Amino acid sequence: MSYETLSSGLSGPLVGEFERGTGFSPWELARVVSAVAQGTRDENALTSLVFHQRHPERGGAAIRRGERGAAEEWLAIRDTVVRPLLAGGRAPASAAPSAPSSAGAAPRAGGYCAEPGARARTKCARPGILPCPVIPGLLHTKDVDGVPFHYPEKVRTVPGSGGLLVVTRRQWTREQRFTVPVRDAMSAFLRNMRGFGMPVEAILTKGSHCCRCVKRSSPAKPDILSNHSFGDALDIAGVRWPATGGPPSAVRDTIVDNWTDPAQRVLLRRIDACLRLSFATVIDYYRTDHRDHFHCDTNRGRARAPITTVRLGFTREALRAVGHPVTSTGRADADTLRALAAFAGVPAASLKDAELRRVLRELFTRVAAAR
């Protein structure tokens, strides 16, 4: 029984109500609804069905004493998916996902952090100086093209993860707020991921709209508003792969926290490249304050310089990945341009403006495709 069949049949309204309440994958809901339709009513069996579908790496092994993260996830599936479905498809209010405990993360009517019309205080050298802008057309959404947002609340190593950090507590549905250009860039990112053999079941997010500052070194103007303040940014902690059909991975969630692991780094590099094909700005693990998420923005429609300090680290990594390592002579920009020229087979002097952007796009496409 397919999800489409369920949606168009008698159980369709139930599944639709359920998705709105939980944000779980349609395929997971389809499995539960199908099992119930075939006569399975045991809540423990149904919960384990979804849990082991998410974690095929466990081989069906029972949750052992001390596996707190696995136990918490199992209970969340039971309480927010299985019990509401068995009770008639409407999740009880007590099962609604809770807001993360980090300061400023709770959603409010005007967005995250300060409300429009208030003053930016978060990450500001001089809090309360810059006004928060009103953003016409700010989207409020729990998914992009049907791919839901998850919010990881806790990551840690657990037995059987091979030393990798895994998400042990999350909000299975999380509203994000951004403008149409960010949505379109995310849609392009997801299309590229599918096209390069990396379909995504869920997007792990660290936040979106938040009226906050970016500190600068200028004494005269130490603060400017972050692109998050304009609904033009999204922080991505990683992605969740489908149970089948995704790239080989030791864990279902590939998260930026595992950037030092060689196998996960390959996947993160491909994700990073796909993001760079869609967004004007991507800040990644090359900055010490971004080793648990990718910052992505469209720079409010304005072009970024093709080669900047924040781009150099990943550009060099991408060149190494395709067999064109950068030879360092002490001038990072010039060294990178020479390596890009060797990759593209063009004179280094020609790598300006549109030609440089074309070569970078070709490089990131090669990396994303793992060619």
Side-chain angles (χ1 to χ4, degrees):
M1 183 181 292
S2 69
Y3 176 69
E4 288 77 8
T5 302
L6 290 166
S7 296
S8 60
L10 293 176
S11 54
L14 175 65
V15 175
E17 173 69 30
F18 210 35
E19 282 187 85
R20 286 191 290 275
T22 69
F24 277 76
S25 161
W27 296 107
E28 292 176 350
L29 297 175
R31 287 288 299 275
V32 176
V33 172
S34 178
V36 171
Q38 294 173 36
T40 302
R41 304 288 299 181
D42 182 274
E43 67 175 28
N44 292 337
L46 293 168
T47 302
S48 294
L49 176 70
V50 175
F51 178 83
H52 289 296
Q53 179 179 326
R54 289 184 184 174
H55 297 284
E57 73 278 2
R58 298 180 63 93
I63 298 172
R64 298 184 297 274
R65 181 176 295 179
E67 290 187 283
R68 183 176 175 182
E72 289 176 350
E73 182 177 350
W74 191 94
L75 290 171
I77 295 168
R78 183 196 65 185
D79 294 343
T80 63
V81 177
V82 175
R83 284 183 173 174
L85 188 143
L86 292 175
R90 190 173 297 275
S94 60
S98 60
S101 58
S102 57
R108 296 200 298 265
Y112 301 116
C113 299
E115 302 286 350
R119 299 272 169 171
R121 297 186 177 278
T122 308
K123 297 188 177 182
C124 301
R126 297 187 297 182
I129 302 298
L130 298 177
C132 301
V134 175
I135 308 166
L138 187 68
L139 302 176
H140 298 208
T141 182
K142 296 178 181 178
D143 68 85
V144 173
D145 296 345
V147 179
F149 289 109
H150 291 181
Y151 189 98
E153 293 184 323
K154 185 176 182 180
V155 299
R156 62 186 180 92
T157 57
V158 298
S161 67
L164 293 173
L165 289 163
V166 298
V167 180
T168 57
R169 188 170 68 231
R170 76 183 75 205
Q171 293 180 34
W172 291 94
T173 181
R174 178 61 179 257
E175 181 181 87
Q176 296 294 272
R177 304 183 181 194
F178 41 69
T179 55
V180 169
V182 173
R183 181 202 62 191
D184 293 346
M186 277 302 300
S187 184
F189 163 71
L190 292 171
R191 286 196 303 272
N192 280 330
M193 291 286 285
R194 289 192 298 271
F196 294 133
M198 296 184 289
V200 172
E201 182 177 289
I203 305 156
L204 278 60
T205 177
K206 284 284 189 176
S208 52
H209 173 226
C210 176
C211 184
R212 65 189 189 201
C213 298
V214 175
K215 293 181 182 178
R216 305 167 76 235
S217 58
S218 169
K221 193 176 182 182
D223 296 316
I224 59 172
L225 288 178
S226 163
N227 276 297
H228 283 282
S229 301
F230 300 92
D232 184 55
L234 180 64
D235 288 341
I236 297 175
V239 300
R240 183 169 180 83
W241 307 115
T244 59
S249 176
V251 285
R252 283 286 297 278
D253 296 310
T254 288
I255 56 177
V256 181
D257 302 74
N258 288 319
W259 65 280
T260 59
D261 178 81
Q264 289 297 295
R265 179 64 165 260
V266 172
L267 292 172
L268 288 168
R269 182 187 307 136
R270 296 179 66 191
I271 293 167
D272 202 337
C274 281
L275 288 169
R276 290 169 190 272
L277 292 172
S278 304
F279 286 92
T281 308
V282 178
I283 304 175
D284 56 23
Y285 38 75
Y286 280 92
R287 263 184 41 176
T288 56
D289 58 345
H290 283 70
R291 288 181 175 167
D292 65 351
H293 72 279
F294 298 113
H295 166 93
C296 309
D297 69 58
T298 73
N299 200 29
R300 287 180 278 160
R302 299 171 298 190
R304 293 279 193 192
I307 295 292
T308 61
T309 302
V310 78
R311 292 186 176 194
L312 277 177
F314 183 76
T315 301
R316 289 168 167 245
E317 178 180 342
L319 284 163
R320 289 193 298 271
V322 299
H324 288 273
V326 178
T327 302
S328 178
T329 63
R331 295 185 59 203
D333 291 3
D335 295 343
T336 303
L337 287 172
R338 279 195 292 269
L340 283 169
F343 161 74
V346 298
S350 70
L351 292 182
K352 298 177 181 178
D353 302 325
E355 176 65 2
L356 177 54
R357 295 179 193 280
R358 182 193 68 78
V359 170
L360 286 170
R361 190 167 187 84
E362 181 182 342
L363 171 64
F364 297 151
T365 300
R366 285 271 300 275
V367 172
R371 293 202 303 263

